[in-house]
Amino acid sequence: MEIIREVNEMHNRIMMLKQKQKKIGFVPTMGFFHDGHLQLMKKAKEENDIVVASVFVNPLQFGPNEDFDRYPRNEADDISKAEHVGVDLLFIPTVNEMYPQKMKITMTINDRIDVLCGKARPGHFDGVITVVTKLFHIIQPNQVYFGMKDAQQVAVVDALIHDLNFPITLIGLPTVREEDGLAKSSRNVNLSSRERNEASWLYKALKHGHHLVVDGEYNPAIIIKEINNIISDNTEGVIDYLEVLSYPELKPVSHMKQQVIIAIAVQFERARLIDNLLLSDDGHIIRFWKQGETK
Ligand code: AMP
């Protein structure tokens, strides 16, 4: 595995691969790898000639009171894990390398962001589309791999690829979970041991919501109320949002007989956790999402 820290060097490397007509799969991340990240890289390895992963904690997507400074980092461990799963090129730029000067162009997304994390974290997805656009230009991937744990991010990148005509296929892969159902996240290390136990209720509550749908309850208000009760009864976390929306459009729905996402964010003392379930129009859980195929 090659470690590349400079944009120019990555560009040159990619030009060589393109000349050889190599198919490039790309996995953008903020590092502190866990199995969720590694599954994306493994899938990219199966489906492409070359896998590029990036580790970059992007300041643009953090709000002023968010956890940029205490976002967990461990470069040496990331390098050894990426190498182990067969990543070919690991791109680890500094903030100065990605943003040598204040950006003269700003990017704003206007749709799919007035809900969920977009509403709770103003400017977050503008930062995401900015860094993702830069990374797409630097790496020029054929296929990109994102986790459905961040389903709104997938919906936003779907809009970006579509609106700006990137010749890239977007693939959303299933959420990787701990044994008790908690979605793996770099931020889980910031949970206290009591919160860590409570955190498994996010997934349990979402599954309960799913069971209600399977049993014929299609009213989103009732599903939301039931999930809300489970979280409040079993955790000291504060629900930041809990919404049922169409996917990937992320519009409110009054009836659940369509492709919907049930998405939740819960704020614990030092970590804000998110999770979701994507359901098909007949109430089945959708784990994989490929641009153009599941809409
Ligand atoms: P992050 O480093 O948190 O920005 O995540 C990088 C990529 O890994 C994003 O596409 C995430 O959606 C994905 N990811 C993070 N956690 C998980 C997980 N538990 N299961 C699957 N994918 C994940």
Side-chain angles (χ1 to χ4, degrees), residues 28-30 34 36-37 40 71 146-147 149-150 174-176 184:
T29 82
M30 298 201 299
H34 52 66
H37 299 114
L40 302 181
Y71 195 84
F146 285 79
K149 182 187 150 250
D150 299 283
T175 301
V176 177
K184 293 203 178 199

Side-chain angles (χ1 to χ4, degrees), residues 158-199:
D158 171 61
L160 176 73
I161 287 177
H162 198 262
D163 278 14
L164 296 192
N165 303 97
F166 281 102
I168 296 174
T169 304
L170 169 63
I171 295 151
L173 294 184
T175 301
V176 177
R177 300 179 179 282
E178 304 286 355
E179 258 177 37
D180 64 357
L182 172 63
K184 293 203 178 199
S185 164
S186 307
R187 290 188 167 98
N188 291 349
V189 294
N190 289 332
L191 294 168
S192 70
S193 63
R194 178 183 52 76
E195 289 176 336
R196 171 63 192 82
N197 289 330
E198 292 179 2

Side-chain angles (χ1 to χ4, degrees), residues 26-45 51-57 71-72 77-78 81-82 85 87 90 145-150 153 173-177 183-188:
F26 174 45
V27 181
T29 82
M30 298 201 299
F32 208 70
F33 291 161
H34 52 66
D35 202 36
H37 299 114
L38 303 180
Q39 291 303 330
L40 302 181
M41 295 169 201
K42 283 183 193 163
K43 191 71 179 174
K45 187 81 187 169
V51 178
V52 183
S54 62
V55 174
F56 181 60
V57 185
Y71 195 84
D77 189 60
D78 288 348
K81 284 177 172 156
V85 293
V87 168
L90 186 61
Y145 297 80
F146 285 79
M148 288 306 289
K149 182 187 150 250
D150 299 283
Q153 178 164 266
L173 294 184
T175 301
V176 177
R177 300 179 179 282
K184 293 203 178 199
S185 164
S186 307
R187 290 188 167 98
N188 291 349

Side-chain angles (χ1 to χ4, degrees), residues 92-128:
I92 319 181
T94 59
V95 171
N96 193 46
E97 183 67 15
M98 287 297 279
Y99 304 111
Q101 350 170 318
K102 190 173 182 311
M103 295 275 290
K104 291 175 280 302
I105 291 178
T106 52
M107 296 180 70
T108 310
I109 172 154
N110 301 309
D111 198 8
R112 304 184 177 183
I113 47 103
D114 53 343
V115 291
L116 311 177
C117 290
K119 190 173 176 190
R121 303 179 68 187
H124 168 69
F125 285 113
D126 293 345
V128 169

Side-chain angles (χ1 to χ4, degrees), residues 109-287:
I109 172 154
N110 301 309
D111 198 8
R112 304 184 177 183
I113 47 103
D114 53 343
V115 291
L116 311 177
C117 290
K119 190 173 176 190
R121 303 179 68 187
H124 168 69
F125 285 113
D126 293 345
V128 169
I129 58 170
T130 305
V131 78
V132 165
T133 297
K134 285 169 74 81
L135 290 167
F136 284 179
H137 285 308
I138 296 164
I139 289 152
Q140 300 173 49
N142 302 85
Q143 313 207 81
V144 289
Y145 297 80
F146 285 79
M148 288 306 289
K149 182 187 150 250
D150 299 283
Q152 188 172 22
Q153 178 164 266
V154 172
V156 163
V157 175
D158 171 61
L160 176 73
I161 287 177
H162 198 262
D163 278 14
L164 296 192
N165 303 97
F166 281 102
I168 296 174
T169 304
L170 169 63
I171 295 151
L173 294 184
T175 301
V176 177
R177 300 179 179 282
E178 304 286 355
E179 258 177 37
D180 64 357
L182 172 63
K184 293 203 178 199
S185 164
S186 307
R187 290 188 167 98
N188 291 349
V189 294
N190 289 332
L191 294 168
S192 70
S193 63
R194 178 183 52 76
E195 289 176 336
R196 171 63 192 82
N197 289 330
E198 292 179 2
S200 64
W201 283 98
L202 270 74
Y203 186 53
K204 286 184 202 151
L206 288 171
K207 291 255 288 209
H208 177 70
H210 174 229
H211 287 143
L212 291 174
V213 177
V214 170
D215 290 344
E217 178 57 72
Y218 298 118
N219 181 347
I222 293 183
I223 308 288
I224 287 174
K225 190 161 170 279
E226 292 263 340
I227 295 177
N228 196 322
N229 288 344
I230 294 178
I231 299 291
S232 337
D233 290 350
N234 294 286
T235 81
E236 286 181 24
V238 177
I239 295 179
D240 193 0
Y241 62 69
L242 169 54
E243 295 182 61
V244 175
L245 301 164
S246 63
Y247 194 85
E249 301 80 10
L250 302 180
K251 299 295 174 221
V253 295
S254 53
H255 197 266
M256 295 183 71
K257 275 214 156 187
Q258 55 186 303
Q259 185 167 296
V260 293
I261 185 163
I262 312 176
I264 187 167
V266 176
Q267 179 71 54
F268 289 93
E269 202 172 327
R270 292 182 72 241
R272 179 174 169 281
L273 304 186
I274 60 171
D275 204 348
N276 69 76
L277 282 182
L278 181 58
L279 303 183
S280 67
D281 52 6
D282 58 359
H284 284 96
I285 296 178
I286 300 172
R287 292 195 166 80

